Amino acid sequence: MTRAALLLLADGRFPAGGHAHSGGAEAAVRAGLITDAASLEEFCRGRLHTSGLVAASLAAAAALGVDPGDLDAAADARTPSPALRAAARRLGRQLLRAARATWPCAGLDLLARRFPKGAHQPVVLGAVAQAAGLEPLDAAYCAAYESVGGPATATVRLLGLDPFDATGVLARLAPATDRVADRAVRAAREALDTGVDALPAASAPLLEISAEVHAARTGRLFAT
Amino acid sequence: MHLHHPHDGHGHGAPAPSGAAARRPDGTRRALRLGLGGPVGSGKTATVAALCRELRSELSLAVVTNDIYTREDAEFLLREAVLPPERITAVETGACPHTAIRDDISANLEAVEDLEDAVGPLDLVLLESGGDNLTATFSRGLVDAQIFVIDVAGGDDIPRKGGPGVTTADLLVVNKTDLAPYVGSDLDRMAADAKAQRGHLPVVFQSLREEAGVDRVAAWVRERLAAWRA
């Protein structure tokens, strides 16, 4: 394996469709919940410990070899918003396309055949990490970091937030990101032994509700 | 410049990993993909609409729009009824239209493939970029050829300024020539500047308000399609 593959996979420029999504930040900005760096940090911290933790656990479990069909169903059960479920599958499909061209292998071809319309993005992310020779912890880091990196980048565009303030937010969240990734891997190992019910189901109701409001809104900049 | 890759399709029966393969998973030849880019308000959507009206009786067509923050362009095409609604798809671009057509083309590739699955087989897919700046060009992984649309009212110095769109697009369209006298644009100068920037690459001056309308652009599209099928 090469750890450098993690840099490629976690890079926001990896061409897998993430740039069109704000991770709920646009809806939060519109609702007046994110107005500056401090409120962005609170938003990201909440997201990291809820949907970020769930995504990291799914990714780690997929990288460990837990059945992707079981994981995709587990992701559905943990994503009440139909708009977010649809977006997660679209992003999963886009990631799989990019990854199959980047790290061609039979395992990813099989996944594409099994989920022609896409599996939840974190599930695909775990499988891709495995195909790239990475560890479950790497997959968990990738998912956890994405859960806050996306909203931070989007907020720079939405609010004209100072980009240095946004990177400062992400740096301050690094210790929490470490803990989330560790916890995700522990849960994934348990899921390997006892089934996907062992995975965290931390929910952020406001993210789910505002995603539905956002999906119905015209004049939005980001898809989610 | 066509993307004839040696690996037509792929061997696993799953969707193709990139947009470059000339054949679809079922072995059929995919549609020719043409991109239309250019600054805001230059007439990209109007050109797409005119092309659809001109070509829809002879070709199986679909359109992908890349709106910046609305579905305006897709809705304009729907309202004008240039194609049935199932043949028009809007891609969301997250405040970055050039990213969606150049740096991360995944959403556009999905949109094209979904259209081919839903209403195919298709002869031609037109991909319209959101209005952008003079550096916005399409990835060759997404389109087979691209048209850059500028207009005379946007300033007759645009061809002289160049930039990747003006310089490298397979076809440069200078739109709204009927406005030239009113905005003081010098068409001869624009043509000379375009020639200097583009060498042998073609340039079409058009006004969609005149009788010839989109005819020359449509003729160029037919040539492209004939080359793609050859």
Side-chain angles (χ1 to χ4, degrees):
Chain A
M1 73 156 271
T2 163
R3 177 55 62 81
L6 177 59
L7 300 176
L8 177 55
L9 187 56
D11 190 335
R13 291 166 298 184
F14 192 75
H19 72 95
H21 296 262
S22 78
E26 183 172 12
V29 165
R30 293 242 189 171
L33 298 172
I34 299 177
T35 56
D36 54 14
S39 46
L40 171 65
E41 184 166 340
E42 288 312 298
F43 176 88
C44 287
R45 197 175 294 283
R47 192 158 196 269
L48 176 63
H49 287 288
T50 52
S51 56
L53 173 65
V54 171
S57 306
L58 290 164
L64 266 176
V66 176
D67 179 72
D70 291 348
L71 289 173
D72 196 54
D76 261 348
R78 287 158 176 74
T79 314
S81 156
L84 287 184
R85 286 202 295 271
R89 288 216 164 81
R90 239 179 3 253
L91 283 170
R93 188 178 161 198
Q94 288 175 252
L95 172 59
L96 191 51
R97 172 193 294 278
R100 287 175 70 207
T102 309
W103 295 284
C105 67
L108 295 182
D109 288 345
L110 183 66
L111 196 63
R113 219 163 33 241
R114 200 165 154 196
F115 299 94
K117 293 295 172 194
H120 275 260
Q121 193 267 3
V123 180
V124 175
L125 181 62
V128 168
Q130 189 186 50
L134 295 167
E135 299 292 324
L137 181 62
D138 300 321
Y141 262 107
C142 229
Y145 178 69
E146 267 178 18
S147 77
V148 292
T153 307
T155 303
V156 170
R157 293 191 202 162
L158 289 162
L159 285 181
L161 186 73
D162 185 332
F164 302 137
D165 288 341
T167 48
V169 164
L170 294 175
R172 286 193 292 282
L173 288 170
T177 308
D178 287 340
R179 289 193 294 277
V180 164
D182 283 336
R183 195 177 152 199
V185 171
R186 284 199 302 278
R189 293 198 191 287
E190 204 181 321
L192 189 63
D193 295 334
T194 66
V196 295
D197 286 352
L199 296 174
S203 174
L206 203 52
L207 281 179
E208 304 282 336
I209 294 165
S210 63
E212 288 299 306
V213 174
H214 187 69
R217 180 176 275 147
T218 55
R220 57 176 188 255
L221 282 173
F222 293 89
T224 61
Chain B
M1 47 60 55
H2 287 293
L3 296 166
H4 290 298
H5 278 220
H7 58 286
D8 274 1
H10 48 85
H12 302 287
S18 80
R23 291 194 187 277
R24 310 193 61 233
D26 63 6
T28 56
R29 194 166 185 78
R30 67 163 170 80
L32 178 72
R33 300 173 189 164
L34 295 181
L36 288 97
V40 177
S42 62
K44 293 180 296 300
T45 310
T47 300
V48 167
L51 280 173
C52 288
R53 289 193 197 97
E54 175 70 21
L55 298 170
R56 66 191 172 193
S57 61
E58 60 191 275
L59 299 174
S60 177
L61 285 174
V63 174
V64 178
T65 63
N66 283 252
D67 287 329
I68 302 173
Y69 57 89
T70 66
R71 292 176 46 84
E72 293 259 327
D73 291 342
E75 278 163 13
F76 173 83
L77 296 173
L78 290 169
R79 208 164 49 239
E80 295 283 302
V82 297
L83 289 177
E86 66 273 17
R87 288 175 178 266
I88 301 170
T89 296
V91 166
E92 288 174 296
T93 59
C96 253
H98 48 272
T99 304
I101 61 163
R102 185 184 59 207
D103 309 280
D104 181 353
I105 57 178
S106 54
N108 271 294
L109 288 171
E110 310 273 294
V112 171
E113 289 179 8
D114 284 348
L115 282 167
E116 294 205 82
D117 285 344
V119 298
L122 295 171
D123 299 308
L124 174 66
V125 179
L126 300 173
L127 294 105
E128 182 191 341
S129 167
D132 210 319
N133 60 51
L134 297 174
T135 67
T137 50
F138 284 82
S139 164
R140 295 292 179 185
L142 178 60
V143 301
D144 300 298
Q146 52 197 308
I147 302 172
F148 201 71
V149 183
I150 62 174
D151 72 290
V152 301
D156 61 4
D157 53 350
I158 289 182
R160 182 177 50 77
K161 286 180 178 167
V166 166
T167 309
T168 67
D170 301 286
L171 177 67
L172 178 67
V173 173
V174 182
N175 205 16
K176 307 185 192 177
T177 51
D178 52 308
L179 295 182
Y182 305 106
V183 296
S185 284
D186 181 343
L187 295 181
D188 291 336
R189 181 182 146 197
M190 291 184 88
D193 289 342
K195 171 89 184 145
Q197 291 281 2
R198 294 172 53 78
H200 66 283
L201 289 169
V203 182
V204 165
F205 283 74
Q206 77 173 11
S207 163
L208 295 173
R209 292 173 182 277
E210 285 162 14
E211 198 183 324
V214 81
D215 285 2
R216 276 169 301 155
V217 177
W220 180 87
V221 171
R222 288 191 190 94
E223 281 170 29
R224 283 285 166 180
L225 196 59
W228 169 246
R229 286 167 165 168

